[in-house]
Amino acid sequence: MNLNLDLHELAQLESLMARFPAIAREEMVRAQHFATMLLRGELALALPIGAGGRNAAGLASSVFTEVQTEGEQIIGLVASRSPYAPHVEFGTKPHWIGEEGIKALVEWARVKLKLSDEKAQKKAAFAVRGAIAKRGTRAQPVWRGTYEAQLGNVRRIFANAIGEIIRRGEAQGAT
């Protein structure tokens, strides 16, 4: 998902980058860091809580941010190291779950369903596996939803950065 600035903002930013390249780059990188951290925090709160909870090796704890700069491009990334993240975001078609998946579902049943009996945990795990094999899993578009919910805040971060470039640039020109 991309943040697009309107033509006025883009022209203003282009002009500021030409006039104050070092300040503009520094402030845009800073804004990108702020925006990605905001999105990471909001995303972690919005993600479904698995068996491991928020602080364990679950999906929420797998989310990370990265800001990359290449030439004049400044790219902010909010991503997950979990191989399950796309399955949560986009859902899945019906598929078979193997032994490793059953182990994870048994743990899920123990924690999420609060089943203490091992037989009940396995029964629940096999029932979930059967449902996934038959119907797949529904999409839970938390990345898209978080981005859309925070887009106004992200735009404000970048608008403030443009204001800071102007302030710093004018202060530098006055000295």
Side-chain angles (χ1 to χ4, degrees):
M1 289 169 255
N2 295 320
L3 171 67
N4 296 311
L5 301 173
D6 69 31
L7 290 178
H8 172 72
E9 292 168 316
L10 199 53
Q12 183 181 24
L13 181 57
E14 187 175 36
S15 168
L16 291 169
M17 291 191 90
R19 288 176 53 208
F20 313 111
I23 294 170
R25 183 170 184 79
E26 182 181 322
E27 291 300 330
M28 286 292 112
V29 168
R30 184 187 330 262
Q32 189 66 272
H33 277 287
F34 285 150
T36 57
M37 292 304 291
L38 167 70
L39 291 170
R40 178 180 182 257
E42 293 298 318
L43 180 62
L45 292 173
L47 283 167
I49 302 171
R54 290 203 187 279
N55 299 319
L59 189 54
S61 64
S62 74
V63 176
F64 68 95
T65 64
E66 189 176 306
V67 174
Q68 303 168 351
T69 57
E70 277 187 33
E72 293 196 7
Q73 285 189 329
I74 302 167
I75 301 165
L77 177 68
V78 180
S80 169
R81 289 183 174 83
S82 171
Y84 303 109
H87 304 303
V88 171
E89 184 74 7
F90 303 112
T92 65
K93 292 181 178 180
H95 63 281
W96 190 249
I97 294 177
E99 278 305 307
E100 285 301 309
I102 286 291
K103 289 177 187 173
L105 287 172
V106 166
E107 177 63 10
W108 175 84
R110 183 184 70 76
V111 174
K112 294 293 283 185
L113 301 178
K114 298 181 182 5
L115 299 174
S116 56
D117 179 60
E118 205 172 302
K119 278 187 177 183
Q121 293 167 5
K122 285 185 179 181
K123 185 177 178 179
F126 281 99
V128 171
R129 176 171 81 171
I132 292 171
K134 186 176 181 178
R135 293 185 292 279
T137 59
R138 66 178 173 80
Q140 299 178 60
V142 288
W143 262 264
R144 177 173 296 284
T146 299
Y147 178 77
E148 289 172 355
Q150 295 300 318
L151 186 55
N153 290 327
V154 170
R155 285 185 179 281
R156 276 188 286 285
I157 288 169
F158 283 97
N160 289 342
I162 289 172
E164 189 62 13
I165 295 166
I166 293 167
R167 186 195 69 72
R168 287 180 60 197
E170 288 174 352
Q172 175 182 306
T175 57

